[in-house]
Amino acid sequence: MSVILEAKGITKTYGYQENKVIAINDLDLTIEQGTFVAIVGKSGSGKSTLLHILGGLVSPNKGEVLLEGQSLYMMNDDKLTRFRRRRMGFVFQFFNLLSAQNVIENIVLPIHLDRGEEDKEYVDEIVKLLGLEEKRYAYVHELSGGQQQRVAIARALASKPAIILLDEPTGNLDAQNSKEVVELLKISQRKFHQTVILVTHDDVVVASIADRIITIEDGKITYDTYQKI
C-alpha cells in the first residue's frame, strides 16, 4: 500500500517562555492511501492541531508535511490554497455551509471557487449515496443537523480530493445521527477509494469503522492500532 501523507518531526508550540505550550511534540506519522484513520484523545491532547497541520491549515514550528510527495509548507500561500482546494476535502464540527445557497450549490462551491468543471454524474452519485436527493434544492435552514453534516461531507467529496480530513464532524449531532454520519463516511470511503483522517473524542463509534486508530496524548502518539473491519 502506497504512502499518501507523511509528517516528519513536526512540532507546534503556542506562547513564549513560561507561558509556552507544546501542542505537537516532534511527531512522525505516515498515512497509507485508501485507509480510514481515526485520531482520538482527550480534550487538549493536540489531535485537532495535528489535523490542521496535516491539512495545511496551521504551520508547524518545525518539521514538514508531504501530501503525494509535495511539501505543503514549502509552498507559498497562494499555491497552498490552490493545492488544498484541489487535493483535500475538509469537514468541520461547524458545517460552514452558506445559508444563501441551496444544497447542490453548497456541494459544488469549492469546484467553482477553483474555476473547475464539476462532474455532474459523480456529484449526483454522492448526493444519492448520502441520501440528499430530495433535498437538492433545499436551503440550510430547511435541513436537520444530520442533513447539514451530510452536505458538508458531500462538498468535501465533490472535487475528488486525494484525502479528506474531518475535525469532530459528529460533535454537534445526537447519537443516532452521529452513527449514521460515520457509517456513511465509511461507505463513501470504500466506494470512492478515499483516504480519510477523522479526529474525534467518540472512540466507541469510530472503533467500529476505522482501519487504524491513533491515540494522541500531550502532542505525541501513544498508541497506533491497526484493526480489521
Side-chain angles (χ1 to χ4, degrees), residues 61-198:
N61 297 93
K62 292 193 300 183
E64 66 174 336
V65 177
L66 296 96
L67 177 62
E68 299 179 313
Q70 297 197 56
S71 180
L72 301 186
Y73 297 104
M74 292 297 289
M75 301 179 187
N76 61 37
D77 289 344
D78 288 343
K79 185 176 180 180
L80 179 55
T81 298
R82 289 194 301 272
F83 188 75
R84 277 200 309 261
R85 256 197 319 249
R86 294 171 183 175
R87 304 308 296 150
M88 301 180 184
F90 294 92
V91 181
F92 299 101
Q93 180 176 350
F94 301 100
F95 315 129
N96 297 333
L97 303 178
L98 297 183
S99 59
Q101 297 192 324
N102 63 31
V103 165
I104 202 70
E105 289 169 338
N106 268 286
I107 290 172
V108 300
L109 178 64
I111 300 171
H112 292 171
L113 286 174
D114 200 41
R115 298 180 182 179
E117 185 173 340
E118 65 187 83
D119 182 337
K120 292 185 183 297
E121 186 175 334
Y122 175 71
V123 171
D124 285 344
E125 190 175 3
I126 294 169
V127 167
K128 184 177 180 180
L129 175 68
L130 295 176
L132 293 168
E133 284 180 295
E134 295 182 2
K135 297 291 184 179
R136 293 174 68 95
Y137 303 109
Y139 287 87
V140 175
H141 71 274
E142 300 173 304
L143 305 175
S144 68
Q147 288 168 338
Q148 289 181 40
Q149 191 59 290
R150 293 180 192 198
V151 175
I153 292 168
R155 182 179 57 190
L157 287 165
S159 59
K160 301 181 181 177
I163 194 165
I164 300 172
L165 302 103
L166 306 100
D167 191 2
E168 298 283 8
T170 61
N172 286 325
L173 304 179
D174 60 31
Q176 182 59 35
N177 270 313
S178 295
K179 185 172 183 291
E180 289 177 2
V181 165
V182 170
E183 287 174 349
L184 284 168
L185 272 172
K186 186 65 178 180
I187 292 168
S188 63
Q189 179 247 343
R190 285 177 170 166
K191 184 174 181 63
F192 302 121
H193 311 291
Q194 296 286 349
T195 304
V196 176
I197 304 177
L198 180 150

Side-chain angles (χ1 to χ4, degrees), residues 192-229:
F192 302 121
H193 311 291
Q194 296 286 349
T195 304
V196 176
I197 304 177
L198 180 150
V199 159
T200 184
H201 64 279
D202 193 351
D203 52 353
V204 175
V205 172
V206 167
S208 65
I209 54 95
D211 303 312
R212 180 182 178 189
I213 301 175
I214 296 170
T215 303
I216 301 290
E217 187 175 339
D218 296 328
K220 284 183 170 291
I221 296 173
T222 53
Y223 297 98
D224 189 350
T225 307
Y226 289 82
Q227 59 177 15
K228 294 181 179 179
I229 304 299

Side-chain angles (χ1 to χ4, degrees), residues 13-29:
T13 61
Y14 297 100
Y16 300 95
Q17 296 178 356
E18 67 271 10
N19 296 318
K20 185 176 181 179
V21 175
I22 302 175
I24 301 295
N25 191 356
D26 193 26
L27 185 145
D28 297 315
L29 178 62

